[in-house]
């Protein structure tokens, strides 16, 4: 009877041992496949990291020399226009998408206009203008709101209004980005009713 019990226990352990052996073989095959793939793709090859790091340092130092000590603090650069006779700056324009509408002071008249800004500087001026568009629209509306019906009769009304809006917009950009950059303000539509 004791021999039968030992034989039964041996039979029970044998399937468990087979499962463990199969699992170990599967894990070894998986590890071998991964290591083989890494070897074939060149993962274990020595890389020239020192040369790559030196090239990166050279690029960083040349970029810092071009833009000054801190590239993030550098003011936008004017974009030159190629011309054989004169050195002129390229004009870049951006229009604010929505029209501005405001009442004139002490009247029932309404002024509606669309604005475009012009700069000689690079795209950072337009990025800053888009970033702070709400503040720029607000100061433009404040300037428009202060206009009176008597101001409308002045011959230089539109030029004066554009100059005041430009000054206020540059002040906002100076406050938030430390650089204005708006050279001119143009009206793409102008209606007083």
């Amino acid at each position: 009877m004791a021999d039968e019990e030992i034989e039964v226990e041996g039979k029970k352990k044998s399937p468990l041992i087979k499962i463990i052996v199969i699992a170990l073989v599967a894990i070894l095959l998986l590890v071998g496949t991964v290591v083989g793939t890494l070897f074939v793709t060149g993962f274990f090859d020595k890389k020239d990291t020192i040369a790559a790091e030196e090239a990166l340092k050279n690029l960083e130092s040349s970029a810092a020399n071009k833009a000054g000590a801190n590239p993030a603090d550098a003011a936008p650069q004017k974009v030159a226009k190629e011309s054989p006779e004169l050195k002129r700056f390229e004009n870049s324009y951006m229009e604010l998408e929505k029209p501005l509408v405001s009442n004139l002071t002490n009247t029932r008249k309404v002024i509606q206009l669309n604005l475009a800004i012009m700069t000689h500087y690079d795209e950072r001026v337009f990025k800053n203008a888009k970033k702070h568009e709400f503040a720029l629209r607000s100061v433009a509306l404040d300037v428009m709101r202060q206009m009176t019906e008597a101001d409308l009769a002045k011959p230089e009304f539109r030029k004066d209004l554009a100059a005041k809006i430009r000054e206020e917009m540059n002040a906002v950009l100076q406050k938030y980005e430390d650089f204005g950059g708006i050279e001119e303000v143009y009206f793409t539509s102008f209606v007083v009713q």
Side-chain angles (χ1 to χ4, degrees):
M1 184 98 155
D3 290 335
E4 287 179 19
E5 289 179 13
I6 294 173
E7 202 174 299
V8 172
E9 286 181 16
K11 287 183 180 178
K12 288 183 182 178
K13 289 185 179 179
S14 108
L16 182 61
I17 291 174
K18 286 181 184 177
I19 293 173
I20 292 173
V21 169
I22 292 172
L24 286 174
V25 169
I27 290 173
L28 287 174
L29 281 174
L30 182 64
V31 168
T33 305
V34 170
V35 170
T37 303
L38 290 174
F39 181 74
V40 170
T41 59
F43 181 77
F44 297 110
D45 294 344
K46 287 189 175 183
K47 296 178 180 107
D48 193 9
T49 57
I50 296 171
E53 288 175 0
E54 191 172 308
L56 182 61
K57 285 180 185 176
N58 289 339
L59 286 173
E60 288 174 347
S61 66
S62 67
N65 290 339
K66 285 181 184 176
N70 189 354
D73 295 338
Q77 301 296 315
K78 288 190 176 187
V79 179
K81 188 176 188 180
E82 298 299 322
S83 174
E85 303 91 29
L86 302 171
K87 183 167 182 163
R88 292 185 149 193
F89 294 109
E90 185 176 330
N91 299 334
S92 300
Y93 300 90
M94 181 189 88
E95 184 174 17
L96 297 182
E97 292 182 18
K98 297 178 185 176
L100 300 168
V101 181
S102 176
N103 291 335
L104 294 174
T105 302
N106 297 328
T107 182
R108 294 179 58 165
K109 289 192 176 188
V110 175
I111 184 170
Q112 176 180 334
L113 51 90
N114 284 32
L115 288 180
I117 59 174
M118 185 271 291
T119 186
H120 297 301
Y121 296 95
D122 59 17
E123 289 296 315
R124 284 187 278 179
V125 174
F126 294 144
K127 287 180 184 175
N128 291 341
K130 287 179 184 176
K131 181 179 178 182
H132 302 290
E133 184 174 356
F134 293 115
L136 296 177
R137 291 176 61 80
S138 177
V139 296
L141 287 170
D142 285 344
V143 170
M144 291 168 54
R145 180 184 54 79
Q146 295 171 6
M147 295 292 125
T148 63
E149 195 167 358
D151 292 333
L152 287 174
K154 295 178 184 175
E156 299 293 316
F157 168 70
R158 288 173 48 125
K159 287 183 183 178
D160 293 341
L161 180 60
K164 287 179 184 177
I165 290 174
R166 178 182 54 86
E167 288 172 12
E168 294 298 321
M169 286 182 157
N170 277 329
V172 166
L173 291 177
Q174 185 73 30
K175 177 181 175 184
Y176 294 122
E177 297 294 333
D178 297 327
F179 183 77
I182 298 174
E183 301 288 333
E184 296 288 335
V185 170
Y186 295 103
F187 301 119
T188 57
S189 71
F190 195 94
V191 178
V192 178
Q193 293 180 340

